[in-house]
Amino acid sequence: MVASDTKECTMAFRNQKLDLGRMLETLVNNLDGVVLRCRMDEHWTVLFISCGCQRLTGYAAEDLVGNTRISYEKLTHPEDRECVRQKILAAAQTDGYYRLEYRIRRADGEIRWVHERGRVVVAEDGENVLEAFVEDISDQVDARNSLALAEMRYRSIFENSSDGIFQTTAEGCYLDANPALAAIYGYASPAELVAGLKDIGSQLYVDPAQRGRFKRVMAERGTVQDFESEIRRRDGEVIWITENAHSVFGPDATFLYYEGTVRDITERKRYQQQLEFHANHDQLTGLPNRNLLNDRLLQAIHYAHRNSYFSVVAFIDLDNFKFINDSMGHRAGDVLLIEIAKRLQSCLRETDTVARYGGDEFVLILNDYYQVSQIVGVLERVLEEIGRPVTVLGQELYVTCSIGISQYPTDGEDPQSLLQHADAAMYLAKERGKNNFQFYTNRLNALATQRVKLESSLRRALDNREIQVYFQPKVDQAGTCVGVEALARWHSKEFGWVAPSQFIGIAEDSALIEPLTEYILRQACRKIAGLVEKGGEIGVAVNLSARAFHQKDLGRMIARVLAETRLPAHLLELEITESAMVGDIEKCIATLHELKAIGLRIAIDDFGTGYSSLSYLQRFPIDTLKIDRSFVSNMRLDPKDSPIAQAIVSLGQSLQLTVVAEGVETAEQFSALKSLGCEAFQGFLFAKPMPVEQFEDYFLAQQV
């Protein structure tokens, strides 16, 4: 306070005619603490101390003044005396103000905590003295110590708990974690975990949607209990955890954070999975047993009903297994069953099921089939695989099987009916000489028999060169022939004309597609090479099925055919469907580059009906896109009504590819496609597929 302020204050007191001395004495003596003045000597000799001294120390004021009975130095706890002195001396070197907490020993021996705040001042005689106020803070210190102890206990539990403990924001960031949680998640310390995990949903949970489920349960109930999840540790290992957590709110009911515990239950889950596996799988082969078979059948029935497909149940019984088991022993029988199980699995897709029904009986569930020929192809592969020799305990054995087939919904609408009918058909296969399959219905048996006959006839047709090559022209916007597609046609002596959709499918299922593709390729290249020699250069396109595209040494086979027929590589174009690209994309791209290295052209056939990603399309080394006929047939006169065709043409143009429309049958379709910018066309409007000799006349006539 400046001098003028002090003077004004003094004048105000005088004007009020108050007895300042009496007022100060009353005030000092009524304080909950003591006011004291002492020398800065070795005893802290008290010069003045207020009446509160008795309440605070248990000594009367006269006991302390002048060290009559005890000095303030002795009153101070021995362990605190030096610290008190040093802090006051340090304050004397600056502005003189200080604050202290220390202990005193009362007259009754009780230890109390006091807080002292004061200042070193110069007395009237020029000596430095202390003027201070001292109050009892024992209750505050006890409360503070209790709080610190509670915090220490909590921190000890937090740090040493074997369960992970966490606090997270609603947005999915960690606020705090204990060492156990860091260890569970694969982090060296809680600090690394908090710094590294910034989005629990995407970084931690294997299923990112799990975080949303956690929050929904928390919003509905305020807590989650036994919340089990698969999580990905820092090193990528996937483990199982269970969480218990609750929401924490502030005094104003504002949400603060989620708090809870985590326990690693990977071993428990694995044990449960093992129990479930043993309960649902055959211990010898590892295949699904009857329990799981029934569940899979129910799923197959529901799926087939929902998607208008049919599901097939194939009941398989090994022929003469009892003889092998009895003559060579159960060990040999077990080895044989394990090998048979592996072979059956190799014949099926991931969506199908093979189960061990008991003894030497197996059941197949075939899903998503809509043609009898597809089923027959699978069953023929099964017969072929089972029939291959198998070495058991050093002895080569030949085993066959009999198969009975039932179909949902025609042969039954529940698992029990389907199994019973397939079993009955299996006994029919036994009666008809074993090593064959029989359908439950006569109609399907007849179709299957026809399919087998067609396959045998197709094999002979390839051997006898009965398959013919037809050419269908491709024209430009002016209607001029600019290319040709080679197509396979088959006129059987036994069946007459067989539709390509029928015999190509059989070729795919029976591994005849590779020799058929090579045959068509060689014949087409030879015919076009002959036209080149006559001065008419034109490119030829040959279709590659998915199986042919993935065959081993495809590039070598094509290079060999080109060399034998002397056709320039740039005149050959391979048409590959989008569906052939499904699977190992990198391997597909490598195969395409291998083919391009030969010098030929590559087209994507039936574009828009497959599953290839546009992100991969720009990586494919292709030259041509063919618009599928389904989009062309739906076109109207107005190009705006053809958004898919327009999009494909635009895409092809942006990638600098030739766009070909197939299935053009009307002038209106032709006009609309031209207006979209399509460059080449193929369809009955221009020419139907024709024998090679007829095409030669057609093409040479255009050259005149």
Side-chain angles (χ1 to χ4, degrees), residues 293-395:
L293 172 65
N294 188 71
D295 182 66
R296 295 279 179 87
L297 265 174
L298 286 172
Q299 292 182 35
I301 289 171
H302 293 156
Y303 183 84
H305 177 74
R306 188 168 58 248
N307 295 280
S308 300
Y309 284 119
F310 60 77
S311 287
V312 173
V313 175
F315 201 103
I316 300 175
D317 183 88
L318 299 183
D319 301 325
N320 301 320
F321 175 77
K322 187 175 185 301
F323 171 77
I324 296 173
N325 206 40
D326 292 345
S327 61
M328 297 185 63
H330 292 293
R331 183 185 173 196
D334 288 347
V335 172
L336 176 60
L337 290 173
I338 292 172
E339 177 60 25
I340 294 298
K342 293 178 181 177
R343 294 186 182 187
L344 289 174
Q345 287 177 301
S346 71
C347 296
L348 305 185
R349 306 167 306 172
E350 290 185 0
T351 54
D352 301 328
T353 295
V354 52
R356 186 184 179 196
Y357 198 69
D360 61 337
E361 296 174 331
F362 298 85
V363 174
L364 309 182
I365 304 175
L366 310 179
N367 297 307
D368 298 346
Y369 290 94
Y370 55 92
Q371 290 183 346
V372 175
S373 62
Q374 293 177 302
I375 302 169
V376 172
V378 173
L379 298 177
E380 287 180 338
R381 285 200 299 274
V382 169
L383 290 174
E384 182 181 350
E385 279 296 306
I386 300 301
R388 288 192 299 108
V390 55
T391 301
V392 176
L393 303 181
Q395 184 173 343

Side-chain angles (χ1 to χ4, degrees), residues 23 39 143 149 173 245 273 295 318 325 350 352 402 408 415 430 438 445 480 505 561-562 594 598 626 652 656 675 689:
M23 184 185 70
R39 291 193 176 97
L149 181 60
C173 292
Q273 290 168 354
D295 182 66
L318 299 183
N325 206 40
E350 290 185 0
D352 301 328
S402 300
Y408 170 86
K430 292 276 189 186
Q438 296 293 324
N445 273 322
T480 303
V561 170
L562 290 173
E594 180 184 354
I598 298 173
K626 295 194 72 175
Q656 298 182 337
S675 67

